[in-house]
């Protein structure tokens, strides 16, 4: 090696180190600290910011009153969702949502207190949505196949909840402070029922295995006298069903597993426990399925004690 080769290598290494340092410095400048747009600014001590912080501490969910999230010079619009893929059987379910907000801090405080004291108290922090968006009205516009767009002339303002990826929007709250106790209970129960249905729609199959196992031999199957395979029962409840496609002395046809689950869930949420216990006391498999369903929901983080309020 020539004598000056060492100096060339040294110069090359210094240049490479210099470039690396510059690149590192450039990267440090480019990466800005992450800002949580769901939380109020640390310097904001307004009544609304204080309310939102307290709600998060108590429930584990961020509290929102607007779907446009802003902090400092950053903002984004929260989808609840606004865009729906139109395919197959989902075609007529597609909706475009618009919101009417709660106008005053008084309305917002009453709405937040209502959700915290009548809804969140029955839901564990792990089961609460990432955020709750409390509004006056959710207006839904259906997708029109003929117009090939959303029909803005057919608004539906009766929706109480809409579930999104990062938020649960809840409406009918502008006059919550003037509703009587029974009206408040009815609204809270509707919200909680919707939350249970949403959670159960995302429950893993393995967590439902004990429920499905009871009637697994009959799911989505038909039996007839002609084929000689009729179960020797006089009531479908002996097999763990409360409804099916058809139950006749010469022909029986049973629901698939998912429909059976939805049938039990609807009765569980809409019927007093004493009633379904009494009606099915002679049918232990039905009682067992109701009790298992209750346990599954509790494990998912929602206490069904609210059904007794």
């Amino acid at each position: 090696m020539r004598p000056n080769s060492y100096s060339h290598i040294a110069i090359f290494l210094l240049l490479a180190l210099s470039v690396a340092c510059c690149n590192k410095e450039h990267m440090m400048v480019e990466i800005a600290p992450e800002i949580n747009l769901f939380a109020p600014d640390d310097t904001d001590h307004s009544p609304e910011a204080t309310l939102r912080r307290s709600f998060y501490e108590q429930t584990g969910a961020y509290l929102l009153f607007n779907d446009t999230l802003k902090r400092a010079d950053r903002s984004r619009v929260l989808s609840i969702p606004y865009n729906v893929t139109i395919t197959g059987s989902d075609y007529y379910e597609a909706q475009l949502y618009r919101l009417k907000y709660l106008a005053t801090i008084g309305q917002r405080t009453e709405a937040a207190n209502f959700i915290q004291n009548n809804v969140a108290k029955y839901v564990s922090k792990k089961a609460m949505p990432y955020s709750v968006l409390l509004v006056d009205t959710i207006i839904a516009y259906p997708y029109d196949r003929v117009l090939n767009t959303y029909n803005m002339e057919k608004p539906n303002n009766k929706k109480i909840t809409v579930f999104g990826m990062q938020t649960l929007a809840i409406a009918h709250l502008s006059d919550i402070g003037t509703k009587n106790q029974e009206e408040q209970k009815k609204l809270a129960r509707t919200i909680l029922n919707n939350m249970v249905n949403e959670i159960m729609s995302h429950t893993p199959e393995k967590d439902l295995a004990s429920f499905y196992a009871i009637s697994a031999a009959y799911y989505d199957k038909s039996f007839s006298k002609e084929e000689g395979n009729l179960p020797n029962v006089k009531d479908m409840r002996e097999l763990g069903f409360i409804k099916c496609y058809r139950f006749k002395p010469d022909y029986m046809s049973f629901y698939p597993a998912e429909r059976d689950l939805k049938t039990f869930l609807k009765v569980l949420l809409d019927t007093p426990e004493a009633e379904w216990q009494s009606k099915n006391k002679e049918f232990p498999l039905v009682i067992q399925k109701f009790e298992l369903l209750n346990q599954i929901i509790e494990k998912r983080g929602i206490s069904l004690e609210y059904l007794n309020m």
Side-chain angles (χ1 to χ4, degrees), residues 74-305:
R74 300 191 184 186
S75 66
R76 58 169 280 207
V77 176
L78 185 64
S79 173
I80 66 167
Y82 285 112
N83 300 312
V84 181
T85 301
I86 316 298
T87 56
S89 62
D90 293 332
Y91 202 100
Y92 296 104
E93 297 175 9
Q95 304 283 323
L96 174 70
Y97 298 107
R98 291 291 183 261
L99 307 175
K100 180 180 178 182
Y101 305 113
L102 298 173
T104 69
I105 185 61
Q107 288 178 327
R108 295 170 186 177
T109 301
E110 288 177 342
N113 289 340
F114 167 74
I115 296 300
Q116 184 171 325
N117 297 328
N118 297 277
V119 175
K121 69 178 290 186
Y122 299 103
V123 185
S124 69
K125 287 187 176 182
K126 70 175 183 178
M128 282 291 286
Y130 186 74
S131 69
V132 291
L133 172 59
L134 307 187
V135 298
D136 178 343
T137 311
I138 299 171
I139 307 168
Y141 299 93
Y143 191 88
D144 191 301
R145 185 175 182 179
V146 176
L147 298 174
N148 200 30
T149 187
Y150 295 101
N151 190 335
M152 307 306 282
E153 295 181 1
K154 293 184 178 180
N156 173 10
N157 60 5
K158 295 182 179 180
K159 281 191 172 291
I160 294 176
T161 60
V162 174
F163 294 85
M165 291 293 292
Q166 291 182 296
T167 196
L168 163 59
I170 305 175
H172 295 201
L173 295 173
S174 62
D175 61 346
I176 194 64
T178 63
K179 291 183 185 293
N180 61 41
Q181 192 172 27
E182 285 307 310
E183 290 172 328
Q184 290 192 7
K185 286 182 180 179
K186 182 179 179 181
L187 180 58
R189 184 166 175 158
T190 298
I191 295 168
L192 284 159
N193 280 358
N194 291 351
M195 292 180 72
V196 169
N197 280 303
E198 179 70 10
I199 283 178
M200 290 302 294
S201 71
H202 298 291
T203 299
E205 195 83 9
K206 63 181 179 61
D207 293 344
L208 299 169
S210 58
F211 176 90
Y212 287 146
I214 293 173
S215 303
Y218 306 96
Y219 281 143
D220 209 18
K221 293 180 181 178
S222 297
F223 305 85
S224 68
K225 186 176 181 180
E226 182 180 350
E227 294 180 2
N229 60 354
L230 277 174
N232 184 25
V233 295
K234 294 182 178 180
D235 192 306
M236 72 179 78
R237 290 176 290 180
E238 294 178 60
L239 304 176
F241 290 91
I242 53 177
K243 283 187 179 180
C244 66
Y245 291 122
R246 188 175 177 184
F247 191 86
K248 299 292 182 181
D250 61 342
Y251 185 81
M252 302 175 190
S253 180
F254 298 100
Y255 285 164
E258 288 184 2
R259 185 163 181 179
D260 183 47
L261 175 67
K262 289 179 180 179
T263 301
F264 269 85
L265 185 57
K266 179 172 174 51
V267 173
L268 182 67
L269 299 182
D270 295 345
T271 308
E273 181 178 350
E275 184 176 329
W276 59 255
Q277 285 274 10
S278 176
K279 283 184 176 180
N280 301 287
K281 61 184 178 182
E282 302 298 327
F283 304 98
L285 293 183
V286 170
I287 296 296
Q288 186 181 356
K289 287 172 78 171
F290 274 122
E291 291 175 345
L292 283 170
L293 191 52
N294 195 329
Q295 292 169 18
I296 292 168
I297 294 168
E298 297 271 350
K299 286 181 180 179
R300 297 289 289 171
I302 299 182
S303 169
L304 293 185
E305 283 297 317

